Amino acid sequence: MLDNTIKLKRVALEVKYTGGHLYWDKCGDTVKKIELSFPEWKFTEIGAEGAQLLNQERNQQLIYYWNRIVLLQENVENLNQFKKSSEVINQIAQNIGVSEYSRIGNRYWFVKPVSSIEEGEKMLNLSTFLTFDINKIEGLGEKILNRNVVLITQLGDKKIRLAVNTISVTTSTPNIVLEPKEYNPTHAVLLDFDIFVDKPVMVNKFDSDDFVQKAYKILENNALKVLNSGAINI
């Protein structure tokens, strides 16, 4: 379905909640329990964004705080390891006293390498989804240098957020893994899909593996069709 030059640069599973007030009391205890149950995870720091652990073998990062837990993986070849690692999320939530998630989102960042931002913008200008009549906005400038379009739709019990724009990554960009190069081009068109539910889900009813499996199936069967319809030209 995808052009083989389009790569899944990053995938994330994020849960949000409002009842994580025991984060501050249980933070160290939670880290210890994670490292005992999942020895592949190694604690790195507790900072302004919460407690952070790394799984270097799988190129994954885990961040949890009083209001959210995020699992990230870079340079994704398949989702099997990501789904397996996601089981840690419920354990963290339960250990800090969270019983209900208010939002669950599975996010995918696809990149299509281009030689320059200008080339990427020319490609996007041929997309029906992203076409702007420059004559109608001529008061804003002579040409479009960069477009950033966001669309949110409803599909069954889930919502899909799609953001499309061109990006440049340099060695000065913080917290970006720049290798291998095919996943981290200097310039690219970015397709950012977030498949989410924003209604309450009980922690003890949440199956992270199943959620990711179904979200990616939606991506394959529905969302990625925009690449074949002319709506997005890359």
Side-chain angles (χ1 to χ4, degrees), residues 136-189:
K136 294 182 178 179
I137 56 173
E138 60 182 351
L140 297 177
E142 299 169 353
K143 65 178 181 178
I144 296 172
L145 298 178
N146 184 268
R147 69 200 73 206
N148 191 335
V149 177
V150 176
L151 178 71
I152 299 176
T153 62
Q154 182 88 42
L155 184 66
D157 65 339
K158 293 182 175 64
K159 295 178 182 177
I160 301 173
R161 178 188 182 275
L162 168 61
V164 184
N165 63 296
T166 51
I167 60 169
S168 292
V169 178
T170 68
T171 53
S172 63
T173 304
N175 301 319
I176 295 293
V177 178
L178 297 176
E179 298 294 339
K181 196 65 176 177
E182 62 265 30
Y183 288 90
N184 300 277
T186 302
H187 309 290
V189 175

Side-chain angles (χ1 to χ4, degrees), residues 1-233:
M1 181 180 292
L2 286 177
D3 177 332
N4 60 14
T5 64
I6 299 175
K7 300 296 185 182
L8 181 52
K9 172 175 173 44
R10 182 182 298 124
V11 61
L13 181 61
E14 179 186 61
V15 298
K16 292 184 177 181
Y17 42 82
T18 58
H21 309 300
L22 289 178
Y23 163 79
W24 288 276
D25 301 288
K26 294 274 195 174
C27 191
D29 177 67
T30 302
V31 169
K32 179 180 276 190
K33 286 182 177 178
I34 292 171
E35 291 184 330
L36 285 174
S37 300
F38 307 94
E40 65 273 18
W41 286 106
K42 303 299 180 186
F43 170 73
T44 57
E45 65 175 308
I46 296 177
E49 297 301 314
Q52 300 183 34
L53 297 95
L54 287 180
N55 182 337
Q56 291 186 324
E57 182 179 339
R58 295 178 179 173
N59 206 11
Q60 294 173 348
Q61 183 180 29
L62 181 64
I63 305 168
Y64 67 95
Y65 200 33
W66 70 270
N67 60 352
R68 70 187 178 279
I69 303 167
V70 186
L71 171 66
L72 293 153
Q73 181 173 330
E74 299 283 343
N75 309 334
V76 185
E77 294 183 4
N78 66 70
L79 291 173
N80 293 333
Q81 292 182 335
F82 183 76
K83 289 189 291 185
K84 182 174 177 59
S85 294
S86 70
E87 62 183 311
V88 72
I89 289 176
N90 278 355
Q91 178 168 323
I92 295 172
Q94 291 167 343
N95 202 57
I96 61 174
V98 174
S99 60
E100 183 179 271
Y101 299 133
S102 57
R103 187 189 189 278
I104 303 169
N106 186 195
R107 194 168 175 184
Y108 298 84
W109 288 263
F110 290 94
V111 290
K112 164 75 173 181
V114 291
S115 61
S116 65
I117 291 296
E118 290 76 14
E119 181 195 359
E121 289 298 323
K122 286 179 181 178
M123 293 171 64
L124 292 181
N125 195 48
L126 298 175
S127 306
T128 57
F129 175 56
L130 300 163
T131 301
F132 297 92
D133 186 345
I134 191 64
N135 294 319
K136 294 182 178 179
I137 56 173
E138 60 182 351
L140 297 177
E142 299 169 353
K143 65 178 181 178
I144 296 172
L145 298 178
N146 184 268
R147 69 200 73 206
N148 191 335
V149 177
V150 176
L151 178 71
I152 299 176
T153 62
Q154 182 88 42
L155 184 66
D157 65 339
K158 293 182 175 64
K159 295 178 182 177
I160 301 173
R161 178 188 182 275
L162 168 61
V164 184
N165 63 296
T166 51
I167 60 169
S168 292
V169 178
T170 68
T171 53
S172 63
T173 304
N175 301 319
I176 295 293
V177 178
L178 297 176
E179 298 294 339
K181 196 65 176 177
E182 62 265 30
Y183 288 90
N184 300 277
T186 302
H187 309 290
V189 175
L190 173 67
L191 296 177
D192 177 356
F193 290 97
D194 188 10
I195 300 167
F196 65 95
V197 294
D198 53 4
K199 59 185 180 182
V201 176
M202 299 303 295
V203 171
N204 61 7
K205 299 291 185 183
F206 176 58
D207 184 333
S208 59
D209 186 309
D210 183 66
F211 189 91
V212 172
Q213 183 74 23
K214 289 179 177 176
Y216 194 76
K217 188 61 68 176
I218 289 173
L219 199 63
E220 284 188 313
N221 294 344
N222 300 88
L224 290 177
K225 287 181 179 179
V226 299
L227 301 180
N228 300 320
S229 67
I232 299 176
N233 177 68

